[in-house]
Amino acid sequence: MSNAFIDRKLRSELIRLSQHYAVLVLTGPRQSGKTTLCKNLFSDYHYVNLEDISLREQIAASPKGFLKQYAKGVILDEVQRYPELFSYIQVVADEVRGSHFVLTGSSNFTLMEKVTQSLAGRAATLTLLPLSLAELGDHIKADTNTLLLNGGYPAVWAKNIPVLDASRNYYNTYIERDVRGLLNIKDLTKFQTFIRLCAGRTATELTASALSNEVGVSVPTINEWLSVLEASYILFRLPPFYRNVGKRLIKTPKLYFCDTGLVCFLLGIENEQQLAAHPLRGPIFENLVVLEFLKSRFNQGKLSNLFYYRDQSQREVDIVQEHADKLYAYEIKSAKAFHREFLKNLVYLKKLLGSNLVSTQVIYDGETDIDSPEYGMMNFRNAVHVS
């Protein structure tokens, strides 16, 4: 796969929507492959990288004239760097019949704010996360620890860049530069402590007050940092499932990262052997599986329909997925051998939710699959087909 273009599952949805909308907006983390995908898919479009300050200054001389010149097909990369351009895109999209703009950005907060204000009804928005297991091709057969350690950033798989180098560069270049800039952080040490503490809380309930005490900043500051990391596609929060089922349920979200390779880097895990013995290997494995479900939704152009269940008796089910009025529940285990104990909370949830819960599955690292609507089990590599 070295130096090769890795085709993305989102391609078909981008093609479909391009036939109906004048403006396509593709968001996602930096280095997740947005530019490569758009250039490959719209190879005849003019390409503009708005990270280039001098180019932004040139466009500023006549923004409308520039957009009209390339209105029939232009890719505007990192468009949130030039927020004033959105109003001109709206005008030109309305004036020029057959115009087509492809906008990419890695700051969801800034980008979507402008899209909502200026391009409502004219734009279709999609999200591209790092590579899913289904997009790895034969590499999906790699050892589980290798998959966890490498994560999904295309550079690691397509260019054979060592994952430690890729993660270090990503952290130094994008997280500390971009996120620190957005937050105007003066004490970098506290932010570094904060993000590493977040990595240590992967796949656990997130309590801002606990982080506040450990980092030494206020709860509002912790919440602001979390919001910006989420908007920058560094991490995401999985909401709890709390339909009125007559029980006292936990209503705190769980924390996950958008790439397990970054989690390993933040935890100081440098190789597969260290990961295999690490006390957080189970949560990192859970992060991978939950992330695969989220990628599957986004790659179909759909919003997340994922939750987790936990009550105050500490009964927990890792994924509860809603499809209209039907529910699907998944328990995630990093073990290679199946144990009936894995079914305990699924059996409880089935009794609680009754016929609304139509399928319960254990997703684990073992070899045996049992294809059964009730209490089946599957290897995590096969879970890419069920979400």
Side-chain angles (χ1 to χ4, degrees):
M1 194 181 285
S2 177
N3 295 316
F5 170 71
I6 302 174
D7 203 6
R8 308 305 296 270
K9 297 293 183 181
L10 192 60
R11 166 189 286 270
S12 59
E13 192 64 12
L14 274 168
I15 293 173
R16 185 184 72 82
L17 290 172
S18 69
Q19 299 168 5
H20 302 286
Y21 289 90
V23 183
L24 290 179
V25 181
L26 184 60
T27 69
R30 283 186 175 272
Q31 301 297 308
S32 64
K34 301 184 299 297
T35 302
T36 302
L37 176 60
C38 290
K39 281 185 169 182
N40 182 273
L41 194 56
F42 305 107
S43 57
D44 56 336
Y45 283 21
H46 184 69
Y47 173 76
V48 179
N49 185 350
L50 292 170
E51 294 267 41
D52 188 329
I53 297 175
S54 62
L55 187 55
R56 294 204 302 265
E57 291 174 348
Q58 292 175 35
I59 296 171
S62 179
K64 187 176 179 181
F66 169 81
L67 292 173
K68 277 196 167 183
Q69 180 182 358
Y70 299 109
K72 292 303 176 89
V74 61
I75 300 169
L76 300 173
D77 208 354
E78 296 297 341
V79 69
Q80 79 276 355
R81 296 291 187 187
Y82 194 169
E84 297 82 8
L85 204 58
F86 284 86
S87 296
Y88 292 103
I89 294 171
Q90 173 194 341
V91 172
V92 174
D94 289 344
E95 289 182 357
V96 180
R97 185 178 180 84
S99 60
H100 197 212
F101 301 92
V102 179
L103 317 181
T104 80
S106 54
S107 177
N108 196 33
F109 178 80
T110 307
L111 185 60
M112 293 313 301
E113 181 183 35
K114 295 300 180 182
V115 169
T116 302
Q117 289 174 353
S118 303
L119 299 174
R122 300 171 181 83
T125 304
L126 297 168
T127 301
L128 184 71
L129 293 179
L131 295 169
S132 67
L133 293 178
E135 292 167 330
L136 285 178
D138 288 341
H139 286 273
I140 195 175
K141 300 173 185 176
D143 179 77
T144 302
N145 289 325
T146 300
L147 293 173
L148 295 172
L149 185 69
N150 282 6
Y153 280 99
V156 175
W157 297 99
K159 299 179 181 179
N160 291 331
I161 295 177
V163 66
L164 277 180
D165 295 337
S167 296
R168 185 183 302 109
N169 178 66
Y170 190 87
Y171 179 78
N172 292 337
T173 305
Y174 300 123
I175 297 179
E176 286 196 351
R177 187 196 73 176
D178 288 1
V179 175
R180 187 185 182 189
L182 284 170
L183 291 168
N184 193 26
I185 295 170
K186 296 179 175 61
D187 189 343
L188 181 58
T189 302
K190 288 187 176 180
F191 180 75
Q192 291 171 333
T193 300
F194 159 76
I195 195 167
R196 284 181 166 83
L197 286 172
C198 285
R201 285 167 166 76
T202 298
T204 65
E205 293 164 23
L206 178 66
T207 306
S209 58
L211 280 172
S212 170
N213 291 333
E214 291 191 58
V215 178
V217 298
S218 68
V219 170
T221 297
I222 292 293
N223 286 327
E224 181 186 13
W225 289 359
L226 286 168
S227 294
V228 170
L229 286 177
E230 197 162 20
S232 302
Y233 298 100
I234 306 301
L235 52 79
F236 64 96
R237 286 175 273 192
L238 185 68
F241 175 83
Y242 50 89
R243 280 187 182 179
N244 184 17
V245 291
K247 296 288 181 182
R248 299 180 66 191
L249 304 179
I250 299 296
K251 297 188 179 181
T252 305
K254 289 177 72 174
L255 180 71
Y256 296 94
F257 277 72
C258 292
D259 187 67
T260 58
L262 180 59
V263 177
C264 291
F265 170 77
L266 291 170
L267 293 173
I269 300 170
E270 299 182 352
N271 55 55
E272 287 86 348
Q273 293 72 33
Q274 292 177 1
L275 177 57
H278 200 279
L280 292 183
R281 185 189 181 278
I284 297 170
F285 180 84
E286 180 181 325
N287 195 139
L288 174 72
V289 175
V290 172
L291 185 57
E292 283 302 306
F293 274 75
L294 187 64
K295 288 175 181 177
S296 178
R297 294 292 297 178
F298 286 173
N299 287 341
Q300 298 173 66
K302 298 176 181 179
L303 299 175
S304 174
N305 61 350
L306 307 175
F307 305 87
Y308 82 97
Y309 173 90
R310 190 177 187 188
D311 59 30
Q312 292 191 358
S313 297
Q314 308 305 308
R315 299 184 188 91
E316 181 173 338
V317 174
D318 296 312
I319 297 176
V320 177
Q321 189 172 34
E322 284 190 317
H323 289 279
D325 61 337
K326 304 298 183 184
L327 300 172
Y328 299 75
Y330 302 91
E331 186 74 355
I332 303 168
K333 299 294 182 183
S334 62
K336 291 186 176 295
F338 178 80
H339 302 282
R340 291 198 60 81
E341 181 73 8
F342 295 168
L343 298 172
K344 180 177 67 175
N345 290 338
L346 290 173
V347 171
Y348 172 81
L349 193 62
K350 177 67 175 177
K351 291 178 180 177
L352 186 65
L353 298 176
S355 60
N356 286 335
L357 182 56
V358 298
S359 177
T360 55
Q361 305 287 325
V362 173
I363 298 173
Y364 75 131
D365 198 14
E367 297 300 324
T368 303
D369 286 4
I370 296 179
D371 185 13
S372 170
E374 289 196 340
Y375 315 129
M377 59 184 183
M378 67 183 75
N379 178 272
F380 76 97
R381 290 170 175 82
N382 296 328
V384 299
H385 305 297
V386 301
S387 55

